[in-house]
Amino acid sequence: MRFESLLDRPGVRLALSPLLLPASAVYFIGLQIDRLVSSTRRRTLAVPVLSVGNLTMGGTGKTPVLLRLAADLRAIGRRPFVLTRGYAGLGAPTRSGVVRTASQAENFSDEVRLMADVLPDVPIGAGADRVASSDAILASGKEDVAILDDGFQHWKIARDLDIVCVDATDPWGGGYLLPMGRLREPRCALSRAGLVLVTRCERVSAAVADAVVARVRRHAPAAMVLRTRFDLQFNSTEGKEAAAPPSAVAVSGVGNPTAFEAGLRDRGVDAVPLRFSDHYSYTTEDWDEIRARARAADVPVVTTAKDWVKLRGLVTPADAVPVLIATPTLSFDDTAAWDTRLRAVLAGR
C-alpha cells in the first residue's frame, strides 16, 4: 500500500502525528532556507517564462496542462521549449540533457518521453540545472518562450506567469505540509500565482467547485481563476481512437491513481485497479503479472499515457491482451480568458 494512502486514514494520521507534525515544521524551515539561498542566484531569461506547477504533491493534472499550454503557444505562432527536472522515480537514475526528438527521449523519464511524443517539435531540457538547460536550448536562437515544468517551487529562474493547478477533489492536500499532508507550501503561497486552474471540476458538484474557487480567490486575489475539466480519450497502441471498453484492468503508476480510475468509471468502464508507485519503472515480470490478470478476467488493459511510454517496450505483437491508452484532454470553462491571459503575458516581453 502506498504511504500517502495510509495517511488518508484518519486513525493512521492521528497515530503518526507526533512524528509527522515536527517533520512538517522541519520541512517548512528547509523550504524557506532553500528559497532564500536560491533566490539570490535567480536568473532572468532572455525570453518569457511560463511556469506550470502545484501547491500540493503531484496528481493535480499538471502534465496535461503543460501539454495544452505548449500546443496553444505553437498555435499562436510561438516557439516554446520545456525545462523540467525529469525525475525518473525512486531508485532510478534521472538523466540530464536536451531532447529534440522522441527517439532521443527513450532513456529519459516517463514525463520527458511523453512530452517528446506529444510535442515532437518542442525541445525539452531535462535535468536539475534548468538554467544550464535553457542556455543550451537558447543558443540555437530559434525558441522564444520557456515553459517551466513543476516550477512553482523553483526559485532560480524568474518567470512572467505562474500557472498553478489546484485539484478540486483535494485542493489543500489534507491541510498540512509534507510529510503530514501533501501541501508543498502553505495556502497563502497562491498569492504568487498569476493564473490558477481549478482542475477536475467534473469530479465534484458545482457547489464544491464554487467553494474551491472562492477559497483560491481569497488566497490569490490578483490571479485569474479558471475552472477546468479532464475528458478521457481512448486510443489503441497504434494511435487510433477506440471506444471505452465495458471492463478493464486499470494499470497506473501516477501521482493520483484514484482520479484515473474515477475517470474510467465515468466513461462506463468497470475498472479493476492495479496500482504501482508514481514514476514506476516496469519490468518484464510486471507485464507478465498485468497480462495474466487481464487474461484471467478476459478484459483489455487500460493504462495512462505516462505509463504507456514505459510499458510499450514490454508489450509484444504476440501478446493476445489488447492495450488501450487513456489520455486526459483539458478543457476550460472560459477558453477565451485563457487565450487572452497568455497573449497579454507574452506581449509584455
Side-chain angles (χ1 to χ4, degrees), residues 105-149:
E106 273 309 306
N107 294 320
F108 284 77
S109 72
D110 48 14
E111 289 179 341
V112 171
R113 280 182 270 180
L114 176 59
M115 292 175 194
D117 277 359
V118 179
L119 306 169
D121 299 319
V122 176
I124 303 161
D129 191 344
R130 301 193 216 188
V131 172
S133 294
S134 68
D135 288 343
I137 293 173
L138 289 172
S140 70
K142 297 179 180 179
E143 281 66 44
D144 62 6
V145 56
I147 301 175
L148 190 59
D149 175 44

Side-chain angles (χ1 to χ4, degrees), residues 4-255:
E4 59 267 34
S5 298
L6 286 174
L7 293 184
D8 286 335
R9 301 181 178 185
V12 174
R13 185 189 293 270
L14 181 62
L16 294 177
S17 60
L19 295 174
L20 296 179
L21 281 174
S24 293
V26 172
Y27 166 82
F28 178 73
I29 294 170
L31 181 73
Q32 300 310 306
I33 293 173
D34 176 60
R35 181 178 182 181
L36 179 64
V37 172
S38 297
S39 295
T40 61
R41 303 191 296 271
R42 175 169 286 203
R43 171 88 168 272
T44 299
L45 301 188
V47 298
V49 177
L50 311 182
S51 164
V52 179
N54 301 325
L55 190 66
T56 57
M57 279 297 292
T60 63
K62 172 181 62 65
T63 299
V65 170
L66 184 148
L67 296 175
R68 171 67 184 264
L69 173 62
D72 286 354
L73 288 172
R74 286 188 57 83
I76 61 175
R78 302 303 294 248
R79 299 183 301 277
F81 64 97
V82 177
L83 299 173
T84 181
R85 176 69 176 85
Y87 177 64
L90 187 64
T94 299
R95 188 176 174 187
S96 300
V98 176
V99 171
R100 295 184 180 274
T101 66
S103 60
Q104 292 176 347
E106 273 309 306
N107 294 320
F108 284 77
S109 72
D110 48 14
E111 289 179 341
V112 171
R113 280 182 270 180
L114 176 59
M115 292 175 194
D117 277 359
V118 179
L119 306 169
D121 299 319
V122 176
I124 303 161
D129 191 344
R130 301 193 216 188
V131 172
S133 294
S134 68
D135 288 343
I137 293 173
L138 289 172
S140 70
K142 297 179 180 179
E143 281 66 44
D144 62 6
V145 56
I147 301 175
L148 190 59
D149 175 44
D150 199 14
F152 197 49
Q153 289 80 32
H154 184 81
W155 319 113
K156 294 182 181 179
I157 295 178
R159 46 265 196 186
D160 298 83
L161 177 65
D162 268 308
I163 303 171
V164 181
C165 302
V166 174
D167 186 342
T169 67
D170 182 20
W172 316 119
Y176 294 93
L177 291 172
L178 293 166
M180 181 72 177
R182 297 188 183 89
L183 279 173
R184 301 169 85 171
E185 291 188 83
R187 281 169 268 195
C188 60
L190 278 178
S191 62
R192 302 197 311 271
L195 176 57
V196 179
L197 302 183
V198 179
T199 62
R200 297 200 174 95
C201 287
E202 77 279 5
R203 300 293 314 141
V204 299
S205 67
V208 170
D210 288 345
V212 174
V213 168
R215 187 68 176 269
V216 167
R217 285 180 171 147
R218 286 199 294 271
H219 291 301
M224 174 182 285
V225 183
L226 298 178
R227 295 170 175 84
T228 68
R229 60 179 291 120
F230 293 121
D231 298 306
L232 283 185
Q233 176 181 314
F234 294 92
N235 291 94
S236 68
T237 56
E238 293 78 26
K240 298 179 180 179
E241 189 170 351
S247 302
V249 172
V251 177
S252 64
V254 294

Side-chain angles (χ1 to χ4, degrees), residues 264-281:
L264 293 176
R265 289 194 297 271
D266 287 347
R267 291 293 305 273
V269 180
D270 182 12
V272 178
L274 185 53
R275 298 179 180 180
F276 296 82
S277 59
D278 195 13
H279 300 287
Y280 185 78
S281 296

